[in-house]
Amino acid sequence: MLTTAEAIAIQETLKQQVICTDQLPATINIIAGTDVEYDKDSSLIAGSIVLLHYETLEVIAVASHCMEVTFPYIPGLFSFREMPPLLRAYEKLTVQPDLIICDGQGLAHQRRFGLACHLGVTLDKPVIGCGKTRLCGQYGPLDEPRGSMAGLYAEDDQSLIGHALRTQAGINPVFVSVGHKISLDTATAIVLKMATQYRLPETTRIADHYARLAMEAYKEQSK
DNA sequence: GCGACAG
DNA sequence: ATCTTGTCGC
């Protein structure tokens, strides 16, 4: 299996390919959400990708893949754990999304290469990183209203690596960062637009739901 | 050395 | 991630 040092070397190489400016289609029709589900009492993980109509949020397609984990959870090397099931699921899609929102950081990462960057560079697709909690970086006061945001600044060089974004009034923020082929401002606006009713964007909520179903189905069928 | 640490 | 229902507080 891949060693920690090898994984870090891969990140250092691939990070140079990340594009932090908008390079999306003129019109976004299909947006994708991804999530990975872990089984409580085995080493199975299920990844799901859900395709939604950008304006109506109607589900267009879902693809999932369940398998054994191939890499341990190490903060900073998260993508090596979650990429395999997500890539397998992505291969099953017969329609491609214009943009993907994944559940984890992009540039808001120790080496500026979180899951969203790794997925974006690998698929050569626009990807937004949207994490539920912070991995690194510091941010200042955040106002209470929906849509309030604060810059997330790296501890080492003080560079802007993401935004803490309040998607609902008085609720903990989510952490938005560039994955690939999108700017931070565009990424932030899209996450806010997709978080219509809850803290997390609908893409993530729906992907989470299907990943759970995929895990249950896989376990049931393997009996 | 200690704490923090996406899921 | 996974433990998980009712309960405390605004």
Side-chain angles (χ1 to χ4, degrees), chain A residues 17-19 21 116-117 120-121 124-128 178-182:
Chain A
Q17 296 176 32
V18 173
I19 294 171
T21 53
C117 299
V121 166
D124 191 30
K125 278 277 176 185
V127 178
I128 293 171
V178 170
H180 189 48
K181 292 190 167 183
I182 195 163

Side-chain angles (χ1 to χ4, degrees), chain A residues 165-210:
Chain A
L165 171 68
R166 187 102 64 192
T167 53
Q168 299 297 335
I171 297 297
N172 287 155
V174 295
F175 298 85
V176 181
S177 59
V178 170
H180 189 48
K181 292 190 167 183
I182 195 163
S183 66
L184 179 57
D185 287 340
T186 300
T188 305
I190 290 175
V191 168
L192 184 60
K193 173 183 165 71
M194 300 307 287
T196 53
Q197 198 172 1
Y198 297 93
R199 175 179 176 238
L200 298 179
E202 287 302 303
T203 41
T204 301
R205 299 186 68 251
I206 296 172
D208 176 86
H209 175 247
Y210 282 105

Side-chain angles (χ1 to χ4, degrees), chain A residues 12 18 24 49 55-56 64 84 89 93 101 104 112 120 132 135 144-145 148 151 162 172 177 180 215 219:
Chain A
E12 295 292 355
V18 173
L24 357 164
I49 299 182
E55 299 299 338
T56 67
S64 303
L93 289 172
I101 299 181
R112 312 291 183 270
K132 292 183 277 292
L135 170 61
E144 293 304 319
S148 302
N172 287 155
S177 59
H180 189 48
M215 176 64 79
K219 289 172 69 177

Side-chain angles (χ1 to χ4, degrees), chain A residues 103-164:
Chain A
D103 69 318
Q105 321 294 340
L107 289 183
H109 175 278
Q110 300 93 311
R111 288 172 292 278
R112 312 291 183 270
F113 196 74
L115 171 63
C117 299
H118 202 159
L119 193 63
V121 166
T122 301
L123 298 176
D124 191 30
K125 278 277 176 185
V127 178
I128 293 171
C130 179
K132 292 183 277 292
T133 60
R134 192 192 59 92
L135 170 61
C136 63
Q138 306 171 320
Y139 63 102
L142 191 56
D143 291 337
E144 293 304 319
R146 165 179 154 87
S148 302
M149 66 180 86
L152 183 65
Y153 295 92
E155 287 89 347
D156 51 15
D157 60 3
Q158 302 303 308
S159 62
L160 180 65
I161 56 176
H163 279 150

Side-chain angles (χ1 to χ4, degrees), chain A residues 2-18:
Chain A
L2 209 57
T3 66
T4 296
E6 288 168 342
I8 291 174
I10 290 172
Q11 292 181 325
E12 295 292 355
T13 299
L14 293 181
K15 66 188 279 188
Q16 301 174 57
Q17 296 176 32
V18 173

